[in-house]
Amino acid sequence: MSELIQAVLDNNEKTDLRQFLRDLRQQEQRYLLRNEILNAFSAYCSHHEKPEQFCHGSHLGKLIAYTQEIILDEGSFCFIVRPKIASQEVFRLSEDDLTVDVMTVQELLDIRDLLVNRFHPNEGDVLELDFQPFYDYSPSIRDPKNIGKGVQFLNRFLSSKLFQDPQEWLEALFKFLSLHRHNGTQLLINERIKSQGELSSQVKKALQFVSGRPDTAAYETFRFDFQSMGFEPGWGNTVGRVKETLELLDELVDSPDHQTLEAFISRIPMVFRVVLVSPHGWFGQEGVLGRPDTGGQVVYVLDQAKSLEKQLQEDLCLAGLDVTKVKPKVIILSRLIPNSDGTRCNQRLEKVHGTDNAWILRVPFRDFNPNLTQSWISRFEIWPYLETYAIDSERELLAEFEGRPDLIVGNYSDGNLVAFLLARRLKVTQCNVAHALEKSKYLFSNLYWQDSEEQYHFSLQFTADLIAMNAANFIISSTYQEIVGTPDSIGQYESYKCFTMPELYHVVNGVELFSPKFNVVPPGVNEAVYFPYTRSEDRLPDDRDRLEDLLFTLDDPEQVYGKLDDPSKQPLFSMARLDRIKNLTGLAECFGRSPELQERCNLILVAGKLRVEDTADREEASEMEKLYRIIDEYNLHGKIRWLGVRLPKTDSGEIYRVIADHQGIFVQPALFEAFGLTILEAMISGIPTFATQFGGPLEIIQDRVNGFYINPTKLDEMAEKILEFVSKCEQNPDYWQEISSRGVERVYSTYTWRIHTTRLLSLAKIYGFWNYTSQEDREDMLRYLESLFYLLFKPRAKQLLEQHMHR
């Protein structure tokens, strides 16, 4: 990138650069982000009548296109350039002579500190956090395109090690297979096989033994013969399955490759007990959706738990472990809330509907201040209670499982921190899921953290994120861009690579994006609840009629605000929490600014509550007030319905289908969406879907093929795109159905829970195998993280607790 800057300086574009920088000085802003930089350069080109080729094809145009940020310092300009995904370079251009100097990360962070006028780098040093040394001994992905494909990389790495040093690695594999027991029962191989060499020869004998038997013969018919050869349950439930598994091992010993390694390790029965951690919010199965801090995460974790239990049952049955009476168990670990507001969130143990052995285990926060801890606490406020919560949860989990779990999956920042604390104490594989990291949702949230600390406590949250993501054995993301963004924007995890929290710490290298711990595993959609509207045989007429009335005609001020003048108009539909990021108010304003949309469509919103006095969430209250203002300002009375209801899950599935009956359109207008479960729900129901172009929807939807992208910051453009679709449907009666069918196909091919959980369990096994066979010493990393927890996180959490004690 320095060559590109030099090319600008070496020709007549240097004059344009100087003038452009002068124009920037005329602005009040000292910190410009990418869109602002592009807009400023576009204005410069327009004002100076530059040709189109100059704007986009010149050296200066290309430099501007790669520039993510410009900071205006005294006498110079700091350019933060992103030449490619997951890469950053920083340059200082002097204002007088345009000399260029490469800046260090530390210098960049010092300049950012100065912007908040609180801290000068010469007044003393600040704590620097750098995790890079802990990744130096681990294998690293080289090509950015392969970020998020960690397990594929790891399998190739492991199989190459098997090939290069077969004796050492096969000995490790033998010991690994010897380890496996469940409830005192030995699995896979017993003491009759004493070495790797014996294992190899016995596998060949066992293959000879089963080759003459019918593939369908049950394992029980030859179990004791197998035992005498050194093999215990776990290889398969039939001759055919046992033969396949042994052939994979035989091939792995003789000619290792990454596909064989993954296929074999994925069959090893080593996961029986799983914990899904989700402490904050109202976690229940009824009466919780639409409340603060619930929504998508409750749906995600419940569906994941059901699918995990089902997949574990199937895997263990295929492994032949039904003969040992093994029963898998999944526990969702959440918070018990005594003042449960009519929900079941005050029950310690609740069985997950539709499962044999999946449970919600609720553990209360300790009563430091019963006025607070007996009731719901915002996800931004719960940090002081998590350490003792983890200690109490450990005891409860050991009792419920009658032993240790095999896998702990954290969800969101708080759940991942608790997962770290539990995994550290129990020495269990830790998986992180964080589809919505707050740092990238709130602009400059780290730089100006002190201004919002009272409300959001970002110092605690971002520290918890750094601890958990570096401690995790593996991380699941829904999309590639959740990790490293797009060529034009940084990803959520990438935002933790380098940042400052002035007067608290500098993060020089916060996470290794090229680590094989990152894996893209998108969530699924619950096919029992969300299915195409055309499957009329699976729909209940009474539910359809009741929800039709609720959506279009019911006159009930307790549940609905607004009456439609013409209910037959095509419905624009959206369903989300009322918060700033979900941007339902932006959709309402888009609708209000477009008379054409109002003429042809009605707007129907499902948003949890109707009255400001019914919410304790300040952001939700603010958005409710804003929505009322928009309705009045644009006189949307008669054209909008706002449903303040908490829908049971079955109703949320049918409500999409009722909208599809009316050939409606689903609009997801979030300012940023990490993934977008509602998008999957709408698409599988058969509703043509318009979704934000910022975040995960870019990987779910293929624009104008099975859905549409919208820019929620450009309301007129958004309205035009929806109107274009409405017009096409009027001109071609089959067009709505074409998009509808393609949306359904897209979900079924890629986004099912079976695909998700099969992948998750495979990852858990492969990372378990990696941790054992590599003998990777993570203790130095974990000690460093513990230091951050006890010396940085815990004192700040204690300060917040002291504030809580006086409430």
Side-chain angles (χ1 to χ4, degrees):
M1 193 50 60
S2 56
E3 292 86 354
L4 184 57
I5 295 176
Q6 199 58 49
V8 173
L9 299 176
D10 286 346
N11 62 37
N12 55 11
E13 292 180 23
K14 180 176 182 177
T15 306
D16 288 294
L17 173 60
R18 188 185 299 278
Q19 185 58 55
F20 176 59
L21 295 178
R22 284 176 183 160
D23 288 356
L24 293 183
R25 279 286 182 204
Q26 306 309 309
Q27 301 185 19
E28 292 184 7
Q29 289 176 272
R30 293 180 60 199
Y31 203 134
L32 285 83
L33 299 180
R34 187 170 189 276
N35 278 344
E36 295 161 333
I37 296 165
L38 292 175
N39 289 338
F41 187 64
S42 178
Y44 171 82
C45 292
S46 176
H47 178 72
H48 294 277
E49 299 181 345
K50 295 291 182 181
E52 185 71 18
Q53 192 280 333
F54 176 85
C55 297
H56 302 289
S58 65
H59 295 303
L60 180 56
K62 291 175 182 176
L63 174 63
I64 296 300
Y66 285 124
T67 302
Q68 287 289 320
E69 303 169 22
I70 296 177
I71 302 174
L72 282 65
D73 196 17
E74 292 181 12
S76 65
F77 296 82
C78 174
F79 275 64
I80 295 96
V81 181
R82 190 168 177 260
K84 57 185 178 181
I85 280 174
S87 174
Q88 176 181 285
E89 298 174 14
V90 189
F91 303 93
R92 187 197 301 272
L93 272 71
S94 70
E95 195 159 2
D96 292 335
D97 57 5
L98 294 185
T99 54
V100 181
D101 295 308
V102 176
M103 293 178 64
T104 65
V105 170
Q106 287 84 351
E107 289 171 333
L108 169 63
L109 297 179
D110 285 342
I111 284 183
R112 285 174 171 163
D113 281 346
L114 286 171
L115 287 172
V116 300
N117 296 319
R118 286 196 177 97
F119 175 81
H120 194 284
N122 295 328
E123 293 177 354
D125 291 330
V126 65
L127 173 65
E128 282 190 356
L129 305 182
D130 186 357
F131 293 92
Q132 185 55 52
F134 301 110
Y135 289 96
D136 286 344
Y137 50 72
S138 300
S140 180
I141 292 168
R142 293 191 180 133
D143 189 342
K145 293 195 298 292
N146 292 326
I147 291 173
K149 300 176 182 176
V151 79
Q152 290 96 317
F153 171 85
L154 205 53
N155 283 330
R156 287 190 180 92
F157 181 82
L158 286 168
S159 59
S160 70
K161 288 285 186 183
L162 280 166
F163 187 78
Q164 293 166 14
D165 194 352
Q167 285 304 116
E168 180 184 341
W169 280 82
L170 290 173
E171 184 64 25
L173 177 60
F174 163 71
K175 289 179 179 177
F176 182 72
L177 294 177
S178 306
L179 286 176
H180 294 291
R181 302 172 68 86
H182 182 71
N183 288 346
T185 301
Q186 181 66 39
L187 304 177
L188 296 174
I189 58 177
N190 59 39
E191 70 283 354
R192 290 183 177 89
I193 299 176
K194 295 181 174 58
S195 68
Q196 174 267 317
E198 283 188 24
L199 173 64
S200 181
S201 62
Q202 288 301 99
V203 165
K204 295 184 189 305
K205 287 181 184 177
L207 278 170
Q208 272 188 326
F209 175 80
V210 295
S211 62
R213 293 169 175 263
D215 282 352
T216 56
Y219 172 72
E220 292 95 323
T221 62
F222 58 94
R223 176 181 180 182
F224 297 110
D225 293 317
F226 240 47
Q227 252 180 350
S228 66
M229 299 170 71
F231 296 100
E232 296 291 341
W235 297 95
N237 61 335
T238 64
V239 165
R241 182 77 178 182
V242 168
K243 191 190 302 180
E244 287 175 8
T245 310
L246 289 171
E247 283 172 346
L248 287 169
L249 179 56
D250 191 43
E251 186 178 340
L252 192 59
V253 170
D254 291 340
S255 52
D257 65 74
H258 63 278
Q259 290 104 332
T260 306
L261 179 65
E262 179 170 0
F264 176 69
I265 298 296
S266 296
R267 289 191 176 208
I268 295 177
M270 51 191 285
V271 180
F272 305 91
R273 309 177 180 117
V274 181
V275 183
L276 308 177
V277 189
S278 179
H280 74 261
W282 304 84
F283 202 103
Q285 301 183 77
E286 298 97 10
V288 295
L289 296 183
R291 293 173 182 266
D293 294 351
T294 57
Q297 188 176 143
V298 172
V299 173
Y300 175 94
V301 176
L302 276 172
D303 286 346
Q304 187 183 53
K306 292 177 183 178
S307 185
L308 265 174
E309 191 220 24
K310 186 177 180 180
Q311 193 62 50
L312 283 169
Q313 288 174 335
E314 184 178 316
D315 288 353
L316 297 181
C317 178
L318 285 172
L321 294 187
D322 47 345
V323 300
T324 64
K325 309 301 181 188
V326 168
K327 288 186 71 174
K329 189 170 189 175
V330 177
I331 289 179
I332 299 168
L333 178 64
S334 192
R335 185 189 158 217
L336 188 145
I337 306 175
N339 298 331
S340 61
D341 195 19
T343 71
R344 295 185 183 177
C345 295
N346 61 349
Q347 293 184 10
R348 177 184 175 274
L349 203 60
E350 181 184 356
K351 193 172 185 182
V352 176
H353 301 333
T355 67
D356 294 326
N357 205 17
W359 303 82
I360 302 171
L361 172 64
R362 300 187 183 92
V363 177
F365 286 166
R366 291 189 188 174
D367 274 340
F368 294 98
N369 177 357
N371 290 333
L372 273 163
T373 52
Q374 296 281 312
S375 303
W376 167 79
I377 301 173
S378 162
R379 69 184 187 273
F380 296 115
E381 298 276 342
I382 64 171
W383 306 107
Y385 310 101
L386 295 182
E387 183 184 13
T388 51
Y389 176 81
I391 293 168
D392 296 342
S393 296
E394 178 188 4
R395 184 173 58 251
E396 299 275 358
L397 287 168
L398 290 172
E400 287 300 319
F401 281 130
E402 298 179 348
R404 292 188 308 167
D406 304 302
L407 172 66
I408 297 177
V409 182
N411 286 273
Y412 191 71
S413 301
D414 58 312
N416 286 323
L417 184 68
V418 172
F420 158 70
L421 294 170
L422 286 170
R424 181 73 171 132
R425 292 169 66 91
L426 295 170
K427 303 192 183 309
V428 174
T429 301
Q430 175 193 348
C431 167
N432 275 19
V433 180
H435 298 318
L437 293 164
E438 302 288 348
K439 186 172 176 296
S440 44
K441 287 166 63 176
Y442 293 84
L443 193 61
F444 295 129
S445 52
N446 60 284
L447 192 59
Y448 296 99
W449 67 274
Q450 287 149 305
D451 296 338
S452 56
E453 186 71 355
E454 184 179 347
Q455 180 176 359
Y456 292 118
H457 307 290
F458 286 139
S459 66
L460 286 160
Q461 182 153 11
F462 299 165
T463 304
D465 287 336
L466 285 170
I467 291 170
M469 67 178 63
N470 283 289
N473 297 103
F474 66 102
I475 297 173
I476 282 178
S477 73
S478 296
T479 61
Y480 173 82
Q481 62 184 291
E482 191 177 306
I483 309 169
V484 287
T486 69
D488 298 330
S489 61
I490 67 170
Q492 290 188 66
Y493 283 96
E494 189 179 358
S495 74
Y496 284 80
K497 181 78 173 171
C498 163
F499 68 95
T500 175
M501 300 192 80
E503 296 187 76
L504 187 62
Y505 55 67
H506 283 174
V507 177
V508 175
N509 200 317
V511 64
E512 178 49 73
L513 300 169
F514 289 85
S515 167
K517 71 166 57 181
F518 284 102
N519 291 273
V520 177
V521 185
V525 63
N526 187 333
E527 298 167 58
V529 175
Y530 304 99
F531 53 83
Y533 77 104
T534 51
R535 272 171 44 186
S536 53
E537 68 277 10
D538 295 321
R539 299 176 63 183
L540 299 174
D542 288 347
D543 287 348
R544 180 170 52 203
D545 295 343
R546 175 174 51 83
L547 292 171
E548 174 114 12
D549 184 38
L550 176 66
L551 282 166
F552 297 102
T553 56
L554 179 69
D555 187 7
D556 180 356
E558 293 298 312
Q559 299 187 76
V560 183
Y561 178 82
K563 183 178 180 181
L564 299 178
D565 292 338
D566 182 2
S568 67
K569 287 181 182 178
Q570 191 168 19
L572 296 182
F573 177 66
S574 195
M575 181 160 56
R577 296 189 311 275
L578 265 172
D579 65 25
R580 186 184 67 83
I581 297 296
K582 293 299 183 185
N583 195 37
L584 290 186
T585 53
L587 175 58
E589 187 168 1
C590 165
F591 184 69
R593 285 166 55 164
S594 174
E596 295 91 344
L597 265 184
Q598 295 172 45
E599 183 182 335
R600 295 154 90 169
C601 300
N602 289 316
L603 180 61
I604 301 175
L605 305 176
V606 176
K609 292 184 177 71
L610 294 177
R611 282 171 289 279
V612 173
E613 58 269 23
D614 290 340
T615 181
D617 187 288
R618 284 177 281 185
E619 190 169 294
E620 184 179 40
S622 173
E623 289 296 295
M624 291 167 79
E625 291 169 349
K626 185 177 178 182
L627 185 51
Y628 280 119
R629 285 199 305 271
I630 289 168
I631 292 171
D632 289 338
E633 179 183 349
Y634 293 101
N635 191 24
L636 297 180
H637 302 285
K639 304 166 187 174
I640 188 171
R641 295 264 286 178
W642 171 3
L643 279 60
V645 292
R646 296 174 188 150
L647 293 172
K649 199 167 191 180
T650 50
D651 280 0
S652 69
E654 184 60 24
I655 211 163
Y656 286 113
R657 292 187 287 273
V658 171
I659 293 293
D661 290 335
H662 289 257
Q663 295 219 322
I665 299 165
F666 182 77
V667 185
Q668 205 274 29
L671 298 174
F672 177 83
E673 181 60 66
F675 183 65
L677 275 175
T678 56
I679 295 167
L680 295 183
E681 292 164 2
M683 289 173 71
I684 200 171
S685 302
I687 311 176
T689 298
F690 289 72
T692 179
Q693 67 185 44
F694 301 122
L698 283 178
E699 293 181 39
I700 298 174
I701 289 173
Q702 295 155 316
D703 193 32
R704 299 180 185 272
V705 176
N706 46 40
F708 304 88
Y709 302 147
I710 52 174
N711 184 337
T713 66
K714 297 183 178 179
L715 301 183
D716 295 337
E717 178 187 295
M718 185 161 80
E720 285 173 14
K721 196 158 189 180
I722 297 170
L723 275 169
E724 180 187 346
F725 175 75
V726 172
S727 298
K728 280 190 176 180
C729 291
E730 290 171 352
Q731 294 161 13
N732 176 9
D734 296 329
Y735 187 61
W736 185 95
Q737 187 58 56
E738 287 173 14
I739 300 296
S740 169
S741 299
R742 290 183 204 147
V744 172
E745 290 167 10
R746 173 68 173 165
V747 178
Y748 277 126
S749 68
T750 313
Y751 299 103
T752 68
W753 277 112
R754 182 178 179 83
I755 295 171
H756 172 94
T757 49
T758 300
R759 198 71 185 139
L760 172 59
L761 291 173
S762 176
L763 291 172
K765 294 174 182 181
I766 290 163
Y767 282 93
F769 176 65
W770 160 250
N771 289 337
Y772 178 79
T773 54
S774 69
Q775 298 181 332
E776 184 181 59
D777 186 5
R778 300 177 72 240
E779 190 63 22
D780 50 356
M781 162 85 87
L782 294 170
R783 288 293 185 187
Y784 186 66
L785 295 171
E786 281 183 339
S787 299
L788 293 185
F789 178 80
Y790 289 109
L791 301 178
L792 190 60
F793 177 92
K794 194 170 177 178
R796 298 197 67 83
K798 186 177 179 181
Q799 290 173 12
L800 179 56
L801 180 61
E802 288 169 356
Q803 295 174 27
H804 285 188
M805 296 296 285
H806 295 97
R807 290 187 185 176

